[in-house]
Amino acid sequence: MGDLRGNHFHAGLDIRTGGVEGVPVHAAADGYVSRIAVFTGGYGNVIFLKHPNGLTTVYGHLKTLNDTLGTYLRENQYAKKTFEIDLRPQPNEFPVKKGDVIALSGNTGGSGGPHLHFEVRDPNDNLINPLLYGFSELTDDVPPYFERIAIRTLTPDSRLNGEFQRQTFTPVRRADGSYTISQPISGSGLLGLELLAYDKTNGSPYRNGLNCVEIRLDGNEVFAYSMNSFPHEQTRFINVHMNYEAEQLSGQRYHRGYLADGNKLALYRTNAYRGKLPLLDGKPHEVSITLFDNYEHATTLRFIVQPEPVTTPILAQPIQTLVTDSTDLDEDASPIRLSVPNVTLTSDNNVLKLSVRELPGVPPNALLFSGKKTTELPVAYTRDSKAIYLIDLSKTLPDSVQIGRGRLPLNFRQAILPGRNQVIDAGNVNIRFNAESLFDTLYLSTRTSRSNILEINEYTTPLNDFIDVRFTPVTPMSIDTMRTKMYALSAGRQRFIGGKWTNNRIEFRTRELGKFGLLTDMTPPAIRVVSATGKNIIARISDDLSGIDQFRVFVNGEWTLMQYDYKRALIWSDKLDATVPFEPGSEVILQVRDRAGNIGEVVTSIATAPAPKPKAVKKAPAKKRGRKR
């Protein structure tokens, strides 16, 4: 439980089934079936059992349900003519006893391999660590382990090894099982720790989530995290529990060892600095990080952070010094991460970092322009032929910055605060935020290009809830609005978003930021019939751009339930009465619609059973002719 996953904490216990499906799944305790659902992704086929003590147990990724529940499910799917369904039977309509077989295990939904996903929830839908209830079958005397840690500067005055930066370190394991850092580390100001660490169990090669983390500074606890219970509706707050940017860029999910702004999870104990390390006195400090598993096995990492050397303030040259020319800007560059000759902009927390290379002589002060207001900003430090300027966005939100005669547009619109309904109109872009859209303050930046690319901040910044966007293309388009939709284009991938056209303007909802573009999908989904016999109908379905939205199969005009495994791109029939075969010669129509509205269709028929081969007639052996003796 608590393993870090995409947009959610893992909510329970995964019980592997030896790579096979069809293992009996038993009710954990007396109760009744309170919910049965079928999802294409996520839990797949899932059963919820309500128990007399108020707890609910959840069983996910099931292959099939027992006869009683399976019949109830199919009847409702046929009645509603749908594969995906969410049913809430009446209390005690389907009572169960502890040990009853309620289903067979499978690999449905978002499962990455055959297993049972098992959860325990309280009456308020808080998820509870199942291991708190004891599993005598499990043996675990293997402690957690460190893979990497990261340390990051959190304010413009913070430094790590002389710079405003995030730096990763690989812990070294000692003979006694503890860890240390072999590299020298110096720091000052407020620093934040991040952990790439896991737990393991006996006889298993797989990585598991951490149960508990404790961080101490000079022996005093500054941060503690315990994963034994959390509200199901807050699972998306994982994106501020971990370093979301690192996950998006590298796939690595680092636990934060401090509370990010906007983190509302009640899983922590912290110091007055919300877990941040206050290295404010110019002295060495010992940092210790201890990891615990569910059985109190612990692993500790210890290292020393030395004070930062005292630096001499930089005396700036006159502002008129030429540094770069804004004409070098790329029209389609990112709104925050601009990379132009000699200049790089990066955003970190509330700080915008401007790095300028190959400056002639002593670097000049920068000028920040916010409307009619101008602010002078001195260089923060120099390093490796670069001058570093640090802009605290919580204090000033510039629309452009000038160094010498070079001026860079930053495209910031305004600061958007969480907890409020706000509408921002930025020319051809209109964005509506609801009170739950943001985890933290968003320094809204938008940019559009002549190729009708829309950028809203960066995809490395998470959203909690949806935002509504209205976008008018910069360049008029001759398009099929029924087939042209909005797609997320960040990180080199194309993901369907959708949208509705009104007066040459598309309106869409998104739960992610970054780069968006209009794409036209004119190709219907592909359908390949694998089998159409009296016993079953099997087909492979796929779509090359927008993705599959709906599939339907009719046999002699009657709707037929098709099971679907998106991982194998496979659908197969599930008759209401399995004892009645499809009639030979029956017309079969398979229709698949993609999310752009294209419909693919294949018409075939149920194969006629081959006539039985005639039995071979054995001939009597011929009589031998010979002379009589």
Side-chain angles (χ1 to χ4, degrees), residues 24 44 58 75 89 109 143 159 187 222 272 348 350 353 356 369 406 409 416 483-484 508 563 592 620:
V58 182
E75 287 175 347
R159 298 292 180 269
V222 296
D348 189 0
N350 294 323
K353 180 179 178 181
V356 185
F369 298 95
I416 312 298
R483 304 291 183 265
T484 300
F508 64 96
Q563 300 292 336
V592 182

Side-chain angles (χ1 to χ4, degrees), residues 485-506:
K485 303 295 182 182
M486 190 62 77
Y487 291 75
L489 303 178
S490 298
R493 57 180 181 261
Q494 297 177 166
R495 196 180 67 80
F496 180 84
I497 297 292
K500 179 181 179 181
W501 286 92
T502 306
N503 299 327
N504 199 38
R505 179 179 62 191
I506 188 168

Side-chain angles (χ1 to χ4, degrees), residues 53-101:
N53 60 2
L55 296 179
T56 295
T57 52
V58 182
Y59 310 78
H61 307 311
L62 304 171
K63 181 179 182 180
T64 56
L65 313 190
N66 68 20
D67 290 343
T68 300
L69 301 179
T71 299
Y72 169 79
L73 172 61
R74 274 192 303 279
E75 287 175 347
N76 278 274
Q77 287 174 306
Y78 269 90
K80 299 176 186 297
K81 293 182 169 56
T82 181
F83 163 66
E84 286 200 322
I85 199 166
D86 196 347
L87 302 170
R88 312 295 174 104
Q90 293 297 312
N92 294 311
E93 183 176 353
F94 297 109
V96 297
K97 291 291 184 181
K98 178 179 180 179
D100 284 353
V101 175

